Amino acid sequence: AQRVTQPEKLLSVFKGAPVELKCNYSYSGSPELFWYVQYSRQRLQLLLRHISRESIKGFTADLNKGETSFHLKKPFAQEEDSAMYYCALERSGNTPLVFGKGTRLSVIA
Amino acid sequence: GAGVSQTPSNKVTEKGKYVELRCDPISGHTALYWYRQSLGQGPEFLIYFQGTGAADDSGLPNDRFFAVRPEGSVSTLKIQRTERGDSAVYLCASSLNSGGYNEQFFGPGTRLTVL
């Protein structure tokens, strides 16, 4: 069975500090990995996916198949980054997502 | 264009009652997903439609839960004999399913409270 683990429920950092939100997964195949974000009073939205290798809003995430990790990083946190972040796995195209429990990021001014 | 919409935004009901939750996907999206998010948890998959048919309903917790999508667009999630444990935010998502990866777009959710 697939599983996504986000070990931190809450992560607080100061503005301008680096951020790393951890995500580990278990799946026997080659999954697609995503980060979703939910800002206060907004709906869940895609932040980035590993296959696109993009940097969105300064965030990047590298898939490490050896460590089965997909950590989300940003070198300098901004107050507007404060939100709930979910790591998600997809077995193959157009199949249901498996989400982690989420990490609440709080960026302190 | 309009995103995924869900109605009602909030639903309060009593234990044992029947409820229906509605999802309007983005026009042209053939794939539709229902997820449930309990407090402190990430969204958990319930059922997935491809067109009118349920392609995967393995996430439905028991036979009190049922969903339909009769015309391949709007979907209704139906819960019979509600229990307090059914209280959660029910999320709907839709995607194009045009081959390869297709982003799932989420609705705002319906918050169900069973008293």
Side-chain angles (χ1 to χ4, degrees):
Chain A
Q2 309 90 45
R3 189 168 64 245
V4 176
T5 303
Q6 294 180 251
E8 304 134 331
K9 287 185 72 172
L10 173 65
L11 184 64
S12 295
V13 300
F14 286 103
K15 177 182 173 182
V19 172
E20 182 178 68
L21 289 87
K22 291 185 167 50
C23 172
N24 287 88
Y25 66 91
S26 63
Y27 178 56
S28 56
S30 293
E32 297 185 23
L33 274 296
F34 308 89
W35 278 97
Y36 278 77
V37 61
Q38 187 165 27
Y39 300 103
S40 179
R41 287 185 286 279
Q42 294 188 27
R43 62 186 67 190
L44 197 61
Q45 59 186 278
L46 178 66
L47 178 62
L48 56 79
R49 51 190 172 112
H50 89 271
I51 55 175
S52 64
R53 298 183 180 277
E54 295 170 304
S55 172
I56 305 293
K57 299 184 178 182
F59 284 98
T60 58
D62 290 319
L63 178 62
N64 186 322
K65 292 186 178 181
E67 296 183 356
T68 59
S69 69
F70 188 56
H71 303 327
L72 183 68
K73 300 177 184 179
K74 183 169 182 175
F76 308 104
Q78 303 299 314
E79 288 179 76
E80 55 265 30
D81 296 328
S82 295
M84 199 72 191
Y85 290 81
Y86 295 95
C87 183
L89 173 158
E90 188 177 54
R91 293 193 312 272
S92 60
N94 304 302
T95 56
L97 294 165
V98 177
F99 286 89
K101 292 186 177 182
T103 297
R104 180 170 297 284
L105 175 63
S106 177
V107 181
I108 306 162
Chain B
V4 178
S5 61
Q6 293 185 245
T7 54
S9 55
N10 280 284
K11 176 71 177 177
V12 180
T13 190
E14 293 179 341
K15 181 175 177 295
K17 299 289 188 184
Y18 168 83
V19 296
E20 289 189 352
L21 311 179
R22 177 187 168 108
C23 172
D24 278 89
I26 293 172
S27 178
H29 281 194
T30 57
L32 186 147
Y33 306 80
W34 283 100
Y35 296 87
R36 177 168 73 171
Q37 187 169 20
S38 301
L39 196 62
Q41 305 293 316
E44 294 176 317
F45 165 69
L46 294 176
I47 185 169
Y48 155 49
F49 286 90
Q50 184 54 245
T52 60
D56 184 349
D57 65 357
S58 61
L60 294 177
N62 51 59
D63 60 6
R64 295 187 298 106
F65 289 75
F66 189 71
V68 295
R69 195 185 185 199
E71 298 178 355
S73 177
V74 170
S75 176
T76 305
L77 179 65
K78 308 180 181 194
I79 311 173
Q80 299 177 320
R81 304 183 304 280
T82 52
E83 299 177 356
R84 292 195 179 88
D86 299 336
S87 296
V89 175
Y90 289 80
L91 297 170
C92 177
S94 70
S95 71
L96 266 174
N97 195 22
S98 60
Y101 165 73
N102 292 278
E103 179 179 347
Q104 292 187 27
F105 293 85
F106 282 81
T110 293
R111 181 176 298 278
L112 175 67
T113 303
V114 182
L115 301 176

